[in-house]
Amino acid sequence: MYAVSFEKARDGSETCLCDGKLLHSKYAPKNEAQKFVSTIEADFFPACVAVLEPALSYCAPFLRTRFPNATLVAIRFSDDFSKTDFLWDKTIQSNDSLSDALFDFLGEEKLCSTLFVDWIPSRSAFKTESIFSWQKIKDAVLKARSVLLTREFFSRRWLMNVAIFAARIKNTSKIECFGNETPIVIACSGPSLLDAIPFLKKNRKNVFLIAVSSAIFPLLEEKIEPDLALSTDGGYWAKKHLDILIKKEIPLALTLEGAAPKKLFKKQIVPLCYDDGSNFERNLLKRLGVNAVLAKRNGTVSGTALFLALSITNGEIFFAGLDQESAQGKQHAEPNALEKINALSDFRLKPKETRTTSARFFSEQSLSIYRAWFSSQKNPEMKRVFRISAKKTFKHSLGSIKDIDMLTFLQKTDGKTNSIFVTPSQKIEIKDRKKIISEELCRAFLDNHFLSEAFPTDFLMIERETDEKRKAEKRVALEEKKAVLKKRLLFVAKNANETDTK
């Protein structure tokens, strides 16, 4: 524990000490803070300025003057200075959740345009907290960059999927909840799913079963048909997990950005529209007369499935196969559609073990991010969410999501009744469908929010740029990219019913 004390400075204002070390000038704290702010170096326009333990926050008004458009954040090492928290747009405690708290508040774009600075006296007085906080900041920024680069890489693919979805959707279904206490099982594709299957079979009729895309094949192999399949992945290869549904009568919940085989659009689709989706998506749905279920965007399909489950039942929710950890040997429950494809490249000099070892190594970083997300969920409703395991004990906990054994699962679901049904809802028959999609695309390309989603990195770099000449050059380059994408999307929308697009 640190001993923080307060006293009067020579100019009559308040100053303070930590274990005898001054955190502000003993003569003129405001002048010291003004000088500190004037010497901050920034070679970009920050969307946010975050100060690590600014103590009595004398720098906050000067930061607001110098960076009038920036969000101001204080990262606190101590509660002793909370009386000045009102000077900041946000104060965040330096603890194990710092990385997640920064990401949740700022998002990936603002984090990548945040200027982090030390209040120098605090760095000296709180050495351990300072080192810890900088590591957490690094984790948050790396995560933000990863998410931003993922969006940059996939955004055009996702937009093409939206255009394809609008062009192909024929029949939609809706989820009807006749009993709001129905237990829901969400089947994921971790290896532990296979251990849980005998117990799922035993109480299958008692629960509503949702299978994320990569878990469909293993369930069907064991003669278990889910009540609903769910896919959010926009990548071309994601469709391979869904091919097996073409010959089944299992409804598919699909986001507009998700990829699905062409033939599936003739079957029953539950349209999912993210609650942060663009006006382009909402306007398309409205003009086509498609009723969609609101969904929450997550880095993992399991997260989207969780919030969907929470929205349709007040009963308990059970994850099966949510291992969230790399394992020796198999990384997924098998059979796995992509594993069959990848296995074709195995040969004597590059066997399966080499491939799976490499996959295990590179997947750990992503899994740690997913674990952190599940662990950070503090919603009181998480008390009715469980992760089940038949044999193994998981290495990592998931915060409020409790681990239970299969006997407890059977006890909790025994005697329950599945009162959730997926029923046909609409037939989408519109003669001028292509014209509507083209009109909405042209309108979307006049919307800066839509364009910032399509070109997140370009918009970010333009906003950060301080040199007007370089900013103009970046704008010209962006206009060229916009023209290419617009042409591509219009072509895809026009020809979506001809063939699948890679």
Side-chain angles (χ1 to χ4, degrees), residues 188-213:
C188 306
S189 63
S192 68
L193 174 63
L194 298 180
D195 297 329
I197 279 177
F199 302 91
L200 293 180
K201 284 183 176 180
K202 189 168 184 179
N203 279 14
R204 173 65 186 91
K205 294 182 180 179
N206 303 42
V207 302
F208 183 80
L209 178 60
I210 299 174
V212 305
S213 53

Side-chain angles (χ1 to χ4, degrees), residues 45-59:
F45 287 126
C48 173
V49 178
V51 183
L52 281 71
E53 192 45 271
L56 292 174
S57 306
Y58 286 113
C59 61

Side-chain angles (χ1 to χ4, degrees), residues 226-238:
D227 296 295
L228 180 70
L230 189 151
S231 182
T232 62
D233 198 328
Y236 175 77
W237 291 107

Side-chain angles (χ1 to χ4, degrees), residues 1-108:
M1 292 293 292
Y2 296 93
V4 176
S5 58
F6 300 88
E7 60 184 44
K8 290 289 184 182
R10 192 70 60 85
D11 65 358
S13 58
E14 190 175 39
T15 188
C16 60
L17 301 89
C18 177
D19 286 348
K21 296 180 180 179
L22 279 165
L23 298 182
H24 296 288
S25 167
K26 64 179 179 180
Y27 298 103
K30 291 182 181 178
N31 291 345
E32 175 193 39
Q34 185 176 25
K35 184 178 180 181
F36 164 77
V37 172
S38 68
T39 58
I40 292 175
E41 295 183 5
D43 58 358
F44 65 97
F45 287 126
C48 173
V49 178
V51 183
L52 281 71
E53 192 45 271
L56 292 174
S57 306
Y58 286 113
C59 61
F62 300 109
L63 286 170
R64 209 170 287 282
T65 299
R66 183 175 172 188
F67 304 103
N69 298 319
T71 300
L72 298 187
V73 172
I75 297 175
R76 290 293 192 196
F77 300 162
S78 170
D79 293 329
D80 292 291
F81 313 110
S82 59
K83 62 184 178 183
T84 64
D85 285 354
F86 71 95
L87 294 169
W88 304 88
D89 296 311
K90 180 74 171 179
T91 57
I92 301 175
Q93 295 298 315
S94 177
N95 54 36
D96 289 337
S97 301
L98 175 58
S99 178
D100 291 328
L102 284 169
F103 189 88
D104 291 344
F105 177 65
L106 296 172
E108 62 268 21

Side-chain angles (χ1 to χ4, degrees), residues 161 165 168 211-218 220 226 228-255 257-265 267-270 301 335-338 341 500:
N161 288 342
F165 186 103
R168 289 181 175 173
V212 305
S213 53
S214 53
I216 299 169
F217 206 162
L220 292 178
L228 180 70
L230 189 151
S231 182
T232 62
D233 198 328
Y236 175 77
W237 291 107
K239 294 188 283 189
K240 296 300 179 182
H241 291 302
L242 305 178
D243 281 339
I244 197 169
L245 295 180
I246 294 173
K247 296 181 180 180
K248 298 288 182 178
E249 295 304 320
I250 300 171
L252 170 66
L254 182 69
T255 59
E257 299 169 3
K262 176 184 174 181
K263 291 181 180 179
L264 267 186
F265 284 94
K267 302 175 84 64
Q268 294 297 322
I269 301 287
V270 178
V301 63
N336 180 280
L338 298 187
I341 296 170
D500 275 342

Side-chain angles (χ1 to χ4, degrees), residues 36 40-41 44 49-53 73 75-77 93-95 98-99 102 111 114-120 122-124 126-143 145:
F36 164 77
I40 292 175
E41 295 183 5
F44 65 97
V49 178
V51 183
L52 281 71
E53 192 45 271
V73 172
I75 297 175
R76 290 293 192 196
F77 300 162
Q93 295 298 315
S94 177
N95 54 36
L98 175 58
S99 178
L102 284 169
L111 255 176
T114 296
L115 179 63
F116 291 95
V117 293
D118 278 309
W119 178 247
I120 307 300
S122 292
R123 182 176 66 187
S124 175
F126 300 94
K127 288 182 180 180
T128 302
E129 288 79 359
S130 177
I131 294 171
F132 174 84
S133 296
W134 277 109
Q135 182 57 55
K136 288 295 182 180
I137 289 168
K138 179 181 177 182
D139 293 343
V141 172
L142 288 176
K143 177 181 177 181
R145 288 179 180 176

